[in-house]
Amino acid sequence: MNGTFEEYKEFVAECNEPVDKNIEHQYKKAFDQLNQRKDFEAALMTSDPPHLEEYRSYLAFEKKHGDPARVQCLFERAIQENCLAGDLWLQYLEYLDSDLKIANIVLAVYERAVRNCPWTVAIWQRYMVALERTEAEDGKVQDVFNRALNSGLTQAADYVATWLIYIDYLRRRISWDGEDEADRRLRTDAVRNAFAKAHEQLTEFFGDKADPSAQVVKYWAFFEAFYCKRMDEARKLWNEKIMQLGHGREASFWLEFYQFERVFGDENHCRKVLLKGVHTASDFPEMIVEELKNFERYYGTLESYDSSMEKCEAQMERVRERREKAAGKELQAAKKQGKPAAAKPGQQKPVAPKQKGAAAAPSAQNQKRLTAVLQQHTQSVEKANQRKAPAGRMEEQENGSGASAAAPGPDEASMVDSEGFKVPGFCAPKKAPKRAANDTEQDDGEGADKRRAWEPEVKKPRVDEAVRNQQTVFVSNLAFSTDEEQVKAAFHRASISGLVEVRLVGKRGNRSRGYGYVEFDNEASAMQALSIDRTMVEGRPMFVSVCRPDGEREKVFHFSTELEKSKLFISNLPFTITKEALNTIFEPYGPLKDVRMVTYRNGKPKGLAYVEYATEEAAQQAILKCNGLLIGDREIAVAISNPPKRKEPGFRKDDDETPEMRMYLGASVEELGPRGRGRSQVQLLPRSLSVKATPALAAGQTAQPAKMSNDDFRKMLLK
């Protein structure tokens, strides 16, 4: 640009004319703009593609200066290299909606956005709003809505949000004042049908928990009450589609229903809703009771207040009883989990001698007396233990006369009350004799025996079984020849500390069954051990999973079954490719989080792999560059990881597959036998009795003679 301006000045000088002031002003303005953007352009030239972060900083600068043409041009440059970046498309569309506002340009960009990023739900939603803003035809909005539903929405929340945007559009089309009655009725019915279809599809595709806050049905009830003045229909929706479908036990929903009645209903229905909520809610009925008190204070009479409070008190008493029973069950379960281990064979539990004439169990009065005696002895022992030895002369008295205090005798240690029950005695622990300064730890003989007589027995703390399970992992898919040392080495190589024990489940001989348990001394190490799942040990991937009790074990799939935009699925890989080679191929497009090779249980590769990036943009760039890449003699396929939904336990593949579906999937349609099995099922018939079917001969064919053995020829000649 500078050289062009110099040539212009030379040309003007040759013509003996002055430099145009306007041209000189425009040149200086353009030169200043170039200097301001020179650093951004240099960053784009020196950075690695797709330059997403550099474009974002550049766009922020251009938006600040507010030149729409330059901003749009820069967005187009960024989109060209990042066409799969959904957030970049959203920024572009937001700028066009708020600043440019040219219908043809805006709708064209929306169409390109949904074609490149159909999985970004926010683009579909903004597209429908933009069509309504530009007063597009009803058929166009409905077409975009149907395409959005068929774009592969995997989250129930996205499905709910898309339906609500479309219902908003249908509701805003209704003119409650200017339209004739017939047209208004048609549009109102269309809104109701949309509500019903949305609720039906959400329940069908995602189950009863698809809309946890019941947004669709609440909106439906509001539409009926506020716009259509059909309060009975609104109450029916609240009762049948919200309360009876799982939300009736939640106090928050009853309070919302009450607020709905306060706005659109009457006092009698408000009171009915609150009373029904007190009897139905199981989480926090106290909240509804408090709201009912306030309601009666504002609107009720003394009789209604007394009646409501009487019902509330009776219900709360039942709630307290249920909670006490539940707490008792939890306490019993906790005691069962912490019960002492059973005695080993050969050991007998100490049995207290049964006193002659004693009853099998003490009565309630004797039990109280026994408890009082035990508390009295406990207090006396605590006072004795709390006494501290004074310094100075008191130490000499302790070593002299104080040390001569004898322990309680057998009559004091065990007493019998007036009813004949034996009361255990509580003896204060004997004080250790003061050792001389010249005593060493090497003394033995009688002195060691005396010291052991007063030293308390130290028992190792018992670890709860539930805690041990949390500190243990389950390892499987091991080779039968793998031993404990090889498993320990695998965890040591991963720098996992705190390993206590490796227990492999054995079978005949010295070979294991291929699975076992690895115990650690803390839960953090056990959680860290899960990170080395599928580490190769003796040529096989070692599976590491959470240790569960026998009654709670179930098959757990450790990987996601939903759309993961930052993870790629690579297929048709050569069987000889390694994890390091995949790192080399995919690392140039962004930082990698994980590379996982899919293998059989014996460790042999399947030709599949998963590559996970730190950002979605890096994954999208890798798809553009690596899909169809030739590795060896194979052309790999790269796509966003979107595995099919896993079937529930007990599901049979043939349950929901028609013959046409099986033919489409590449399977042959076989005629089933009498028990629903294939014709290839083995018949329970001896071979000597089975008769092979003779194939039918076509017209004009003759049967071929069977081959004869030497024995057949001999029999034929002897005839």
Side-chain angles (χ1 to χ4, degrees):
M1 186 174 65
N2 191 19
T4 303
F5 185 70
E6 292 296 332
E7 291 180 0
Y8 166 73
K9 289 197 298 184
E10 291 177 1
F11 173 76
V12 172
E14 291 177 359
C15 297
N16 296 324
E17 293 182 2
V19 177
D20 191 345
K21 298 295 183 182
N22 186 25
I23 295 177
E24 187 176 6
H25 175 71
Q26 294 295 332
Y27 163 74
K28 291 181 179 180
K29 183 178 179 181
F31 189 75
D32 292 340
Q33 292 182 357
L34 177 62
N35 289 332
Q36 293 175 359
R37 293 161 177 81
K38 188 180 296 183
D39 294 338
F40 296 104
E41 295 290 343
L44 290 173
M45 295 293 294
T46 57
S47 62
D48 296 330
H51 318 291
L52 183 58
E53 295 301 327
E54 289 77 14
Y55 275 120
R56 282 175 175 166
S57 58
Y58 201 172
L59 285 167
F61 173 79
E62 290 292 355
K63 288 180 182 179
K64 185 177 180 181
H65 287 73
D67 188 351
R70 295 193 61 86
V71 175
Q72 185 183 3
C73 180
L74 187 57
F75 264 120
E76 291 292 340
R77 288 176 59 188
I79 288 295
Q80 185 178 4
E81 297 190 44
N82 300 273
C83 61
L84 300 180
D87 56 342
L88 185 61
W89 279 107
L90 285 172
Q91 292 179 17
Y92 189 14
L93 296 169
E94 183 179 357
Y95 175 77
L96 294 178
D97 287 335
S98 59
D99 293 73
L100 203 58
K101 299 180 181 179
I102 302 176
N104 295 333
I105 297 177
V106 172
L107 296 182
V109 175
Y110 269 110
E111 191 62 32
R112 291 165 51 202
V114 297
R115 189 168 60 247
N116 284 276
C117 298
W119 55 80
T120 306
V121 183
I123 297 179
W124 290 105
Q125 298 171 2
R126 294 185 66 93
Y127 194 4
M128 287 188 284
V129 176
L131 288 172
E132 183 183 1
R133 188 180 295 117
T134 56
E135 299 181 356
E137 297 180 357
D138 295 345
K140 179 63 176 176
V141 179
Q142 187 174 3
D143 177 65
V144 172
F145 169 68
N146 292 331
R147 288 166 58 193
L149 293 184
N150 296 325
S151 63
L153 303 181
T154 59
Q155 302 292 332
D158 297 339
Y159 211 85
V160 171
T162 305
W163 266 107
L164 291 177
I165 291 291
Y166 182 62
I167 292 173
D168 290 341
Y169 164 73
L170 294 178
R171 181 191 60 78
R172 286 192 287 260
R173 289 193 313 161
I174 304 174
S175 177
W176 301 99
D177 298 326
E179 276 187 353
D180 59 345
E181 187 66 26
D183 191 28
R184 186 184 305 117
R185 189 180 297 111
L186 289 176
R187 294 183 181 273
T188 303
D189 292 341
V191 175
R192 289 198 185 99
N193 293 335
F195 276 122
K197 192 172 182 180
H199 181 68
E200 178 185 353
Q201 290 187 0
L202 283 169
T203 306
E204 179 183 355
F205 296 154
F206 301 99
D208 295 335
K209 301 298 182 181
D211 190 5
S213 57
Q215 298 181 66
V216 175
V217 183
K218 288 178 184 177
Y219 191 3
W220 191 357
F222 177 84
F223 177 79
E224 295 289 355
F226 182 76
Y227 291 103
C228 303
K229 310 303 179 185
R230 299 173 62 189
M231 191 59 192
D232 292 338
E233 187 66 24
R235 292 191 184 102
K236 184 178 178 181
L237 290 171
W238 266 97
N239 288 318
E240 295 182 0
K241 295 189 179 297
I242 296 180
M243 295 307 180
Q244 294 181 9
L245 294 181
H247 297 294
R249 296 187 176 276
E250 301 178 33
S252 59
F253 278 86
W254 285 106
L255 292 176
E256 287 188 48
F257 192 8
Y258 161 67
Q259 295 297 336
F260 183 81
E261 285 286 354
R262 285 194 64 179
V263 175
F264 301 108
D266 50 40
E267 297 179 8
N268 292 331
H269 284 91
C270 286
R271 184 178 290 105
K272 288 180 180 179
V273 168
L274 290 175
L275 288 173
K276 193 173 181 180
V278 170
H279 287 80
T280 309
S282 60
D283 51 357
F284 302 106
E286 297 87 355
M287 298 170 58
I288 307 178
V289 171
E290 190 65 27
E291 195 64 36
L292 181 58
K293 289 181 180 179
N294 294 332
F295 174 79
E296 294 294 350
R297 178 178 296 117
Y298 298 151
Y299 303 103
T301 62
L302 180 60
E303 291 77 9
S304 64
Y305 176 83
D306 292 338
S307 176
S308 299
M309 291 302 102
E310 183 179 356
K311 295 177 181 178
C312 288
E313 290 175 1
Q315 176 61 20
M316 292 308 298
E317 183 64 28
R318 289 191 288 269
V319 169
R320 281 190 289 270
E321 291 177 358
R322 287 199 300 265
R323 289 176 178 174
E324 289 176 359
K325 289 181 180 179
K329 290 181 179 179
E330 291 181 2
L331 183 60
Q332 291 179 0
K335 289 181 178 179
K336 287 181 180 179
Q337 291 181 358
K339 63 183 180 180
K344 296 181 179 180
Q347 293 183 354
Q348 295 182 353
K349 295 182 179 180
V351 181
K354 187 175 179 180
Q355 211 162 7
K356 187 175 180 180
S363 61
Q365 183 179 3
N366 293 334
Q367 184 68 33
K368 292 181 180 179
R369 187 181 297 112
L370 177 61
T371 304
V373 174
L374 292 176
Q375 290 178 354
Q376 183 179 0
H377 280 276
T378 304
Q379 293 174 0
S380 62
V381 172
E382 289 178 353
K383 290 180 181 179
N385 291 336
Q386 290 175 358
R387 293 174 183 170
K388 297 182 179 179
R393 298 178 182 177
M394 294 301 295
E395 293 183 356
E396 299 178 359
Q397 295 179 3
E398 251 183 14
N399 296 332
S401 60
S404 62
D411 294 336
E412 297 175 3
S414 59
M415 299 180 297
V416 179
D417 64 359
S418 60
E419 297 292 333
F421 289 101
K422 187 175 180 181
V423 180
F426 293 86
C427 303
K430 298 180 180 180
K431 296 181 180 179
K434 185 175 181 65
R435 301 180 62 183
N438 57 355
D439 287 347
T440 63
E441 295 181 358
Q442 304 296 331
D443 56 349
D444 52 3
E446 185 179 357
D449 295 338
K450 290 181 179 180
R451 186 172 66 254
R452 283 193 294 269
W454 57 263
E455 283 180 347
E457 181 182 0
V458 179
K459 295 183 179 179
K460 295 178 67 176
R462 180 179 174 276
V463 181
D464 187 24
E465 189 66 26
V467 176
R468 285 191 70 183
N469 289 334
Q470 294 175 357
Q471 298 176 0
T472 306
V473 295
F474 178 72
V475 294
S476 58
N477 198 41
L478 299 171
F480 294 151
S481 59
T482 303
D483 57 12
E484 288 84 352
E485 295 301 325
Q486 292 169 332
V487 177
K488 286 182 181 179
F491 286 96
H492 288 319
R493 284 194 299 269
S495 301
I496 299 175
S497 60
L499 196 151
V500 176
E501 183 184 10
V502 175
R503 302 188 300 274
L504 295 181
V505 178
K507 62 177 183 179
R508 295 179 182 177
N510 296 326
R511 294 158 62 88
S512 71
R513 293 186 179 179
Y515 63 91
Y517 303 88
V518 180
E519 184 178 352
F520 297 88
D521 58 4
N522 60 84
E523 187 177 352
S525 297
M527 296 301 295
Q528 185 184 359
L530 298 176
S531 62
I532 67 168
D533 183 29
R534 299 179 182 270
T535 300
M536 300 301 292
V537 176
E538 293 296 305
R540 294 175 63 91
M542 178 179 66
F543 298 162
V544 184
S545 59
V546 178
C547 177
R548 302 181 185 277
D550 294 338
E552 300 178 6
R553 289 181 187 169
E554 58 182 5
K555 292 184 178 180
V556 179
F557 190 67
H558 300 283
F559 305 103
S560 175
T561 58
E562 298 178 350
L563 179 68
E564 297 177 279
K565 299 178 183 178
S566 61
K567 183 182 288 187
L568 304 180
F569 173 68
I570 301 102
S571 58
N572 200 33
L573 287 168
F575 294 142
T576 56
I577 197 169
T578 61
K579 184 176 180 180
E580 291 74 15
L582 286 177
N583 276 322
T584 305
I585 294 172
F586 289 94
E587 198 169 16
Y589 307 106
L592 297 175
K593 289 181 65 177
D594 184 33
V595 175
R596 180 168 64 88
M597 304 284 293
V598 183
T599 62
Y600 293 99
R601 295 185 69 88
N602 59 4
K604 293 184 179 180
K606 290 186 177 181
L608 308 173
Y610 289 91
V611 176
E612 186 175 2
Y613 283 94
T615 60
E616 297 179 11
E617 293 78 10
Q620 295 158 3
Q621 190 68 21
I623 292 177
L624 291 175
K625 302 295 184 182
C626 296
N627 188 28
L629 181 68
L630 192 64
I631 300 179
D633 58 347
R634 295 196 173 203
E635 184 177 329
I636 66 171
V638 183
I640 296 239
S641 175
N642 188 15
K645 186 177 180 181
R646 291 180 63 82
K647 303 298 183 183
E648 297 296 333
F651 177 84
R652 287 179 52 192
K653 183 178 180 180
D654 297 336
D655 288 346
D656 62 346
E657 287 186 1
T658 62
E660 292 78 6
M661 292 173 61
R662 291 197 293 273
M663 290 183 65
Y664 175 77
L665 295 173
S668 61
V669 181
E670 299 178 355
E671 184 182 358
L672 299 181
R675 290 191 292 168
R677 301 289 185 180
R679 288 293 186 184
S680 60
Q681 182 177 7
V682 178
Q683 297 182 1
L684 301 178
L685 186 67
R687 294 180 182 176
S688 59
L689 300 179
S690 61
V691 179
K692 295 184 179 179
T694 304
L697 297 176
Q701 281 187 338
T702 59
Q704 297 291 335
K707 293 183 179 181
M708 300 177 67
S709 63
N710 292 335
D711 190 35
D712 293 334
F713 278 108
R714 184 177 60 81
K715 290 179 180 179
M716 186 178 63
L717 293 174
L718 291 176
K719 286 182 180 180

